Every structure is written in structure tokens, then in C-alpha cells.
Amino acid sequence: MDLKDKQEVVKNSRFLDSFKFAFKGVLTVFQEERNMRSHIVIGSIVLVLCLFLNLAVNEWLWVIFSISLVIIMEVWNTVIENVVDLAAGERYHPLAKKAKDMAAAAVLMTAGFSVVVAAIIILPKLWQKLF
Ligand SMILES: Nc1ncnc2c1ncn2[C@@H]1O[C@H](COP(=O)(O)OP(=O)(O)OP(=O)(O)O)[C@@H](O)[C@H]1O
């Protein structure tokens, strides 16, 4: 094995390691964040509901996009909470409060966007189906 092959093996193992660490991150956020579990349950219910509503492809994309965005934003919220806790520890600090509140605001705004998507795409179809 020459130097070039060795470098490729090292690169490959780092690539696999980064997947392993990313999956560990997914697992940790699910285990430790109650809000994340709620997002997953609500998102799954919405997706199952959509199966019965004959959505067009672009409507599916909007629904999947908005659910994914809430989940991704919750991951970032958790990242910020952890980093702030690391920096501030048990101390009260106005900047720690600002950072955590803004991170929570980002999740809230994204959830608001999902509600708008649901109101435009899902509710009218559900209404039609039911009445
Ligand atoms: N070190 C701190 N200094 C000042 N205010 C803080 C600090 N830590 C938390 N807070 C305030 O308390 C609130 C709750 O903090 P916490 O760390 O429990 O987050 P949370 O929003 O409850 O998170 P979770 O998503 O885990 O429910 C924050 O939104 C922030 O307003």
C-alpha cells in the first residue's frame, strides 16, 4: 500500500466516523429533548393524514419541507442551549437569556410557518373530505 492508498483509507474512515457522530447527535437530541419527540409525533400524524388527502407533488414538498424545518430548527435550539449552558454554567447572564430565548423564537417562527402551510394545503382538503 503506497502513501496515496493510506491517505484514502484514513479519509474513508474519517468520513464514516463523521456519519457515526452525526447519528449519535440525532440519537442524543431524541433522547434528551421532549420537544423534539413532540415534533416527531405531530409531524408523523400530519404525514399519515396527508396520505388520505391526495396531495399533489408540490404540496407534499411544502408539507415535508415545513416538518423538516421545525425538526432542524429544534436541533439548532438544542445546540444553542448546550453551548450557552457550557459557557454560562449555573450563572444567570442576560446574554445567555437572550441567546436561549432567540433560539426558542426561531423554533416558534418555524412552527408558525408550518401552521400556515397546513392552513393553506391541508385544511381545505380535509374540509372537502369531511363535509
Ligand atoms: N444561564 C442563564 N441565564 C439567564 N437566563 C437563562 C439561563 N439559562 C436559561 N435561562 C432562561 O430560562 C429559560 C429556560 O431555560 P432552559 O435552559 O430550561 O431552556 P428551555 O427553553 O426550557 O429548554 P428545553 O427546550 O430543554 O425545554 C430560557 O429560555 C432563558 O430565558
Side-chain angles (χ1 to χ4, degrees):
M1 188 186 281
D2 65 17
L3 187 62
K4 190 174 153 279
D5 293 332
K6 263 190 186 161
Q7 278 173 341
E8 268 168 23
V9 171
V10 170
K11 261 190 192 162
N12 270 344
S13 79
R14 280 191 188 149
F15 185 68
L16 286 178
D17 274 349
S18 51
F19 263 109
K20 205 173 75 185
F21 295 140
F23 279 115
K24 176 75 187 141
V26 172
L27 203 67
T28 308
V29 81
F30 279 99
Q31 283 168 342
E32 294 184 3
E33 287 301 311
R34 192 172 38 87
N35 288 346
M36 178 59 97
R37 292 195 289 274
S38 309
H39 295 316
I40 293 294
V41 170
I42 294 168
S44 306
I45 292 171
V46 170
L47 286 177
V48 170
L49 182 69
C50 286
L51 287 175
F52 299 98
L53 297 178
N54 297 322
L55 298 193
V57 173
N58 67 330
E59 293 171 327
W60 270 113
L61 286 175
W62 278 109
V63 170
I64 292 168
F65 176 67
S66 58
I67 292 172
S68 307
L69 207 60
V70 172
I71 291 167
I72 293 165
M73 211 52 85
E74 187 61 46
V75 174
W76 278 112
N77 178 38
T78 307
V79 170
I80 288 168
E81 279 174 9
N82 278 277
V83 174
V84 168
D85 286 344
L86 181 66
E90 296 293 305
R91 252 169 345 116
Y92 177 92
H93 197 289
L95 285 178
K97 178 166 177 51
K98 262 191 197 174
K100 282 194 176 186
D101 289 354
M102 286 178 192
V107 178
L108 186 67
M109 286 172 190
T110 317
F113 170 71
S114 295
V115 171
V116 172
V117 169
I120 292 173
I121 293 175
I122 298 173
L123 281 187
K125 285 186 185 271
L126 194 62
W127 187 264
Q128 255 182 357
K129 201 110 193 140
L130 293 177
F131 305 104

